[in-house]
Amino acid sequence: MTTAVSDERPVASAELQGFRRVQRLAYECAEAVAARLEPGITEREAARMQREWLRERGVRDWFHLPFAWFGDRTAFVNFRIPLQFFPTNRRLEPGMPFILDMAPVYDGCTADIGYSGSLGINPVQDKLMADLEAHRELILREVRERRPLREIYEDVDRLMVRQGYANRHRAYPFGVIAHKVDRVAERRWSAHVFGFGTQSLKGLASDALHGHREGWSPLWSPYRFSDHPPQPGLWAVEPHLGFRGTGAKFEEILVVTDSADPEQSAFWLDDDLPHVRRWAEEK
Amino acid sequence: MTLQGARERVVRTGGVELCVAELGDPGQPTVILVHGYPDSKEVWSEVAPRLADRFHVVLYDVRGHGRSTPPQPLRGGFTLEKLTDDFLAVADAVSPDRPVHLVGHDWGSVQSWEFATVKRTEGRIASFTSMSGPSLDHFGHWINQRVKRPTPRRVGQLLGQGAKSWYVYLLHAPVLPELAWRGPLGKRWPRILERVEQVPGGDYPTPSLPTDAARGAWLYRDNVRPRLTRPRQDAYAHAPVQLITPLGDAFLSEKLYDDLELWVPQLTRRTLSAKHWIPRTRPDQLVSWITEFVTSVEGGRPAGVTATGKYADRFGGQLVLVTGAGSGIGRATAYAFAEAGARVVAVDRDAESAGRTAEMSRLIGAPEAWAETVDVSDEQAMEKLAARVAAEYGVVDVLVNNAGIGLSGSFFDTTPEDWKKVLDVNLWGVIHGCRLFGKQMAERGQGGHIVNTASAAAFQPSKALPAYSTSKAAVLMLSECLRAELAGQGIGVTAICPGLVNTNITSTAHFAGVDAEEEKRRQKRSARLYGLRNYPPEKVADAILRAVVRGEAVVPVTPEARGAYLMSRFTPRALRRIARLEPPL
């Protein structure tokens, strides 16, 4: 499969392989860390566990540093300023939901993933996770229909309201449900600003500048600047449901191309991910 | 006088003969009901038969009461040690090999605290449900703490309970109480109970009341002073305890139980909006709580979610019906009650969203939840619903008439059809709900609460919402009238006036006098405005639960609703000026 991801930068399947590899690595990390979580562990410790696991496997740069949210922080209860995203000393308790969110850069390719789980049984989060499947289908279908991103966003919103949930990605910076990711230039040393890798931010900024001229945005938001059809490229999509102190999300990469074939015009980078396997098992 | 269908026998112990009655299958777990003062076992005549379907129910007349014989002499014959002997004798007679579940009211609870905290009964008691009777030892420590380290609050609590205990001092007077009970007080007591406590008449109190009350004075004289001055240091409960506190109790302050967790390792708290004699006035609620508690201790309860909500003590196990529960305030209210452990009936005209509310309610704490599809403006459908709910789930404890639709547009743009539609849903829906479910509540005679969702528009005139405001003002007035009518039956009525709340009422509201496209635009715009205001329906739900707990009459919720409410009372002319303004649509 050779697909042109954008006019200027054709992305070969070999390159998609690179993104797929780092996304798998990140999900492996999430599963490994989730398996090691136990009562009393703090968000900070969980975030450090992710960082160390990935560093040991060669990750040197980040789109953003790993996050961990426990308990009602999974639903972003009372989040007002972006600093509240950073891991705190909140301790994990039995039955508590948690979300691990990380965006490692490996071999110049970026992943950005979100992994939801709970320590023991949490029927509410199970239900939220099950209901996320409809969102994954809806997003893919409407992107293939080339609907404006803002409209797709509103449809996701409506589905959430119908399901009885609050849209928690509204709390993300600019209320985004997705953002573009791209290749990142490798440096021996890369600085962070507020947890975000400067190389990746540079990429995002240049996309924003580029897009601003052409009338599109690398951020997929409910605002007017997202009122355009899906732009070819790789989008890290993260619908996030909240329900009375419990949150659940997945995050993975959606590949958008300018192919005329609807099947090829948009597809999920990888269908062998924990949440997808889980839905398949439930059936 | 005997309880219907009870098997009676006599148990002899310590020189007295105790009259013991049994109901139900002796193979089932045994529940022993202990009566208070001045009562006999017949105080349980509403509770015992209802429990007998599931349990082996045992009642006995405390020594000197009803048909049990008094000790000779009376003085020194009623000490807690002797009452413990009696209990053990009864327990051995009715359930020799299995521990029993104790339920005590008033003095029955006071003595049961002794049973549940002394060494020699360990292993004989599986659980204890206490209502309106503290442990004298805990009470003694409670007083000591407040005397030794007085703060203004603690002194207030002390004085408050001191005032409520007036009858205890009187009962310590010699001869006088006996004379009063055998004379005028004994004769008038049933009427006093009916007037002050709303205790329904019938087979209670029994004719033995004057004698019971006169002899029972020794319960106080033999125990209160010694125990309060020298409380036991080891009064720890060796069984799980369920504490049921009636909030309107004239004799006991709720504050008495503040530190109870120190004495009881496994404590479940329940509160009830009622007065002292709950075995007479709230039998259904008691039966449901006792059944649930005993079953959970016996290990028969399936592992479900536990209610962690704020008012779990108050609403646990109650039946709550919410109309318009498919979205917005109704849905949030259903969830808030579910989190408090209530059983929820979610009613909406959209079956799918009602089903969803019921399903999620079960996940977050409702022991049971059902969805019902009905249009509240349809009289016959509502009648069918009321009959079905009563038959399948029981009488509703809390009714929330929330379903409503929005309608905007000037008076002359509003067609008769528009008027009819908005009044049918907003007003007639509430009328049907109150009429049908309120009637069931009133007929049962065990209290309850009705919440009607009005709106800040009920007291805030506006040129943009004439029909909507009229319907909501009617709901407000209806609620206030109904509140007056139902006050005597222990049923509270609340009108909730939320204000601008971020729900989808805006995007489904009808805008009279404009074409479809303009209507769509205005819907979008008002939804956006409400979204910017972003007041969450969950906060309205919290206000509803709080209003039920406190029995409030009219509750404006958002700051602007509260402001408008104040203005409507103190500066109505300014409010009328505001009504002339063009809304920003």
Side-chain angles (χ1 to χ4, degrees):
Chain A
M1 174 176 61
T2 43
T3 348
V5 166
S6 76
D7 302 333
E8 312 97 280
R9 286 173 300 184
V11 174
S13 66
E15 193 148 40
L16 286 184
Q17 272 312 334
F19 282 99
R20 205 170 283 141
R21 195 170 62 218
V22 59
Q23 180 165 287
R24 283 215 176 152
L25 184 73
Y27 267 109
E28 266 168 41
C29 167
E31 284 185 315
V33 170
R36 283 168 53 204
L37 292 180
E38 50 188 53
I41 280 186
T42 65
E43 289 179 354
R44 288 214 169 106
E45 284 161 358
R48 190 178 322 123
M49 282 154 75
Q50 299 172 51
R51 240 169 26 231
E52 281 165 2
W53 196 96
L54 287 166
R55 281 236 172 84
E56 281 165 18
R57 283 155 187 81
V59 170
R60 289 289 166 268
D61 195 6
W62 310 87
F63 181 81
H64 66 70
L65 289 173
F67 295 122
W69 303 303
F70 294 169
D72 63 5
R73 282 174 49 83
T74 55
F76 295 167
V77 170
N78 296 326
F79 272 36
R80 304 239 182 279
I81 53 165
L83 285 179
Q84 287 166 314
F85 286 96
F86 288 100
T88 65
N89 284 325
R90 168 76 63 93
R91 287 182 187 281
L92 196 59
E93 289 164 24
M96 237 188 203
F98 61 79
I99 293 179
L100 307 177
D101 188 307
M102 68 197 92
V105 176
Y106 183 72
D107 228 359
C109 296
T110 309
D112 195 348
I113 67 134
Y115 179 90
S116 308
S118 56
L119 192 66
I121 299 165
N122 187 317
V124 176
Q125 206 197 29
D126 284 350
K127 178 76 186 149
L128 292 171
M129 276 312 285
D131 285 334
L132 270 172
E133 186 180 9
H135 291 276
R136 194 173 185 262
E137 286 163 5
L138 179 141
I139 290 168
L140 181 61
R141 189 175 65 245
E142 299 201 349
V143 166
R144 282 180 175 167
E145 289 166 9
R146 288 294 186 261
R147 303 264 300 276
L149 292 182
R150 190 182 181 189
E151 266 182 51
I152 305 178
Y153 192 105
E154 282 165 359
D155 285 345
V156 170
D157 235 24
R158 265 191 284 274
L159 178 57
M160 285 183 181
V161 168
R162 235 189 1 266
Q163 290 176 331
Y165 302 133
N167 167 350
R168 294 319 297 155
H169 48 263
R170 280 251 183 218
Y172 289 139
F174 304 102
V176 299
I177 191 175
H179 57 84
K180 272 194 76 178
V181 293
D182 221 325
R183 289 201 66 93
V184 173
E186 284 179 280
R187 295 275 184 281
R188 285 180 61 155
W189 181 82
S190 169
H192 304 132
V193 183
F194 289 115
F196 285 85
T198 45
Q199 291 306 323
S200 316
L201 280 183
K202 238 166 74 184
L204 208 55
S206 88
D207 259 355
L209 189 72
H210 193 71
H212 183 69
R213 289 195 205 115
E214 294 173 17
W216 59 272
S217 158
L219 298 178
W220 183 347
S221 79
Y223 304 114
R224 200 168 303 146
F225 62 73
S226 292
D227 225 344
H228 59 79
Q231 183 68 20
L234 303 182
W235 291 83
V237 185
E238 46 186 334
H240 190 155
L241 303 179
F243 180 69
R244 304 186 85 83
T246 304
K249 70 179 278 194
F250 68 81
E251 181 169 11
E252 55 173 307
I253 288 177
L254 177 73
V255 185
V256 180
T257 70
D258 45 16
S259 160
D261 174 14
E263 290 276 312
Q264 289 300 318
S265 69
F267 52 90
W268 293 105
L269 178 65
D270 192 350
D271 276 322
D272 190 20
L273 298 178
H275 49 276
V276 186
R277 284 200 294 272
R278 178 199 158 113
W279 294 324
E281 277 163 23
E282 275 165 7
K283 276 175 191 155
Chain B
M1 151 118 240
T2 51
L3 289 144
Q4 285 277 311
R7 309 177 289 276
E8 279 199 8
R9 58 163 129 171
V10 171
V11 172
R12 286 182 187 78
T13 168
V16 295
E17 293 185 348
L18 299 173
C19 173
V20 179
E22 291 173 74
L23 293 102
D25 173 11
Q28 295 299 316
T30 303
V31 177
I32 300 189
L33 307 171
V34 191
H35 69 80
Y37 175 89
D39 289 320
S40 57
K41 64 181 180 308
E42 281 70 23
V43 76
W44 298 112
S45 60
E46 295 289 327
V47 173
R50 289 171 164 94
L51 280 175
D53 299 341
R54 300 275 303 269
F55 305 112
H56 174 217
V57 181
V58 177
L59 315 93
Y60 68 98
D61 284 322
V62 173
R63 49 171 59 201
H65 293 67
R67 302 202 294 139
S68 294
T69 58
Q72 293 292 346
L74 290 173
R75 176 191 296 270
F78 285 90
T79 57
L80 287 171
E81 290 75 17
K82 290 186 176 163
L83 296 170
T84 310
D85 293 341
D86 289 357
F87 160 71
L88 282 172
V90 172
D92 288 342
V94 297
S95 172
D97 342 298
R98 269 173 94 174
V100 299
H101 298 271
L102 250 180
V103 178
H105 173 248
D106 188 86
W107 249 96
S109 170
V110 174
Q111 46 176 306
S112 296
W113 272 112
E114 173 81 0
F115 311 159
T117 55
V118 290
K119 277 273 173 291
R120 61 190 173 121
T121 57
E122 244 181 276
R124 295 295 291 133
I125 298 174
S127 82
F128 167 37
T129 297
S130 157
M131 36 190 121
S132 294
S135 151
L136 290 181
D137 301 301
H138 300 166
F139 194 7
H141 288 294
W142 186 88
I143 295 174
N144 281 346
Q145 258 180 12
R146 277 152 186 81
V147 171
K148 278 185 193 148
R149 302 182 62 188
T151 62
R153 172 176 301 193
R154 290 173 154 206
V155 171
Q157 290 174 354
L158 209 52
L159 293 176
Q161 181 54 48
K164 286 185 169 192
S165 298
W166 53 269
Y167 62 97
V168 180
Y169 322 129
L170 284 186
L171 281 167
H172 278 78
V175 197
L176 276 174
E178 278 90 341
L179 283 177
W181 278 114
R182 290 184 195 276
L185 184 58
K187 226 174 263 157
R188 300 221 174 102
W189 187 246
R191 283 221 351 248
I192 297 176
L193 273 188
E194 218 168 320
R195 284 244 318 264
V196 180
E197 287 269 336
Q198 277 98 37
V199 172
D203 57 354
Y204 166 88
T206 57
S208 64
L209 170 83
T211 335
D212 299 344
R215 290 173 183 160
W218 286 98
L219 286 168
Y220 292 87
R221 295 168 186 164
D222 278 349
N223 297 298
V224 172
R225 239 181 330 176
R227 282 303 175 97
L228 291 192
T229 45
R230 282 182 307 280
R232 278 165 47 210
Q233 298 292 338
D234 60 347
Y236 296 100
H238 45 65
V241 176
Q242 169 171 241
L243 177 77
I244 300 178
T245 316
L247 299 175
D249 199 318
F251 309 109
L252 296 159
S253 140
E254 309 146 47
K255 296 283 167 214
L256 276 181
Y257 306 110
D258 274 358
D259 307 321
L260 201 57
E261 273 84 359
L262 297 176
W263 300 102
V264 184
Q266 291 165 273
L267 178 66
T268 308
R269 287 177 186 264
R270 302 280 183 207
T271 57
L272 194 53
S273 162
K275 292 185 181 175
H276 181 76
W277 262 275
I278 45 180
R280 304 302 304 177
T281 56
R282 297 286 187 271
D284 285 345
Q285 183 65 73
L286 296 190
V287 167
S288 116
W289 279 339
I290 294 168
T291 307
E292 194 192 320
F293 187 60
V294 170
T295 320
S296 75
V297 170
E298 289 279 324
R301 187 165 56 176
V305 264
T306 44
T308 51
K310 203 165 159 201
Y311 298 108
D313 60 336
R314 175 74 167 71
F315 296 114
Q318 291 206 334
L319 184 64
V320 177
L321 184 139
V322 183
T323 67
S327 63
I329 294 173
R331 186 175 245 176
T333 305
Y335 289 156
F337 276 113
E339 277 181 339
R343 299 178 299 139
V344 175
V345 186
V347 179
D348 200 280
R349 64 180 172 184
D350 176 30
E352 193 196 329
S353 48
R356 183 122 197 133
T357 304
E359 185 188 359
M360 296 307 288
S361 296
R362 277 191 294 270
L363 285 182
I364 57 174
E368 294 171 289
W370 307 272
E372 294 284 350
T373 315
V374 78
D375 179 353
V376 292
S377 63
D378 182 341
E379 183 180 340
Q380 269 144 25
M382 284 291 277
E383 269 168 14
K384 273 189 205 147
L385 174 73
R388 194 164 58 238
V389 167
E392 286 174 21
Y393 322 133
V395 175
V396 173
D397 293 298
V398 180
L399 166 70
V400 184
N401 285 308
N402 164 75
I405 52 172
L407 174 63
S408 178
S410 81
F411 175 76
F412 291 109
D413 285 337
T414 309
T415 62
E417 288 75 47
D418 289 337
W419 273 98
K420 199 167 151 9
K421 201 169 167 205
V422 82
L423 289 177
D424 271 352
V425 176
N426 290 5
L427 178 58
W428 275 101
V430 175
I431 294 176
H432 292 320
C434 292
R435 202 168 54 83
L436 298 163
F437 294 102
K439 191 170 175 205
Q440 292 176 0
M441 256 182 221
E443 275 172 356
R444 179 178 63 162
Q446 297 185 36
H449 203 102
I450 298 175
V451 179
N452 295 330
T453 306
S455 162
F459 41 74
Q460 185 178 9
S462 146
K463 68 188 230 182
L465 300 162
Y468 181 77
S469 304
T470 306
S471 71
K472 291 301 189 181
V475 169
L476 179 60
M477 185 48 91
L478 165 68
S479 309
E480 298 231 54
C481 296
L482 197 59
R483 183 180 173 88
E485 182 171 336
L486 293 176
Q489 298 173 59
I491 300 174
V493 181
T494 300
I496 294 281
C497 305
L500 303 181
V501 177
N502 191 10
T503 69
N504 68 351
I505 194 169
T506 44
S507 25
T508 54
H510 176 51
F511 287 78
V514 295
D515 59 20
E517 198 178 314
E518 174 65 11
E519 179 173 49
K520 192 133 215 136
R521 195 191 69 78
R522 291 197 186 183
Q523 282 173 350
K524 253 189 156 168
R525 184 148 170 86
S526 56
R528 213 177 91 80
L529 281 175
Y530 277 54
L532 282 176
R533 171 71 184 87
N534 203 18
Y535 196 88
E538 285 75 22
K539 280 196 180 176
V540 183
D542 284 347
I544 289 178
L545 266 70
R546 194 170 51 237
V548 176
V549 168
R550 296 187 186 162
E552 292 167 324
V554 179
V555 183
V557 185
T558 61
E560 61 270 17
R562 274 181 280 152
Y565 190 55
L566 277 180
M567 284 177 78
S568 73
R569 294 163 73 191
F570 299 111
T571 58
R573 287 176 65 173
L575 209 59
R576 282 180 208 128
R577 285 265 167 199
I578 294 173
R580 298 179 186 184
L581 296 177
E582 200 64 50
L585 286 177

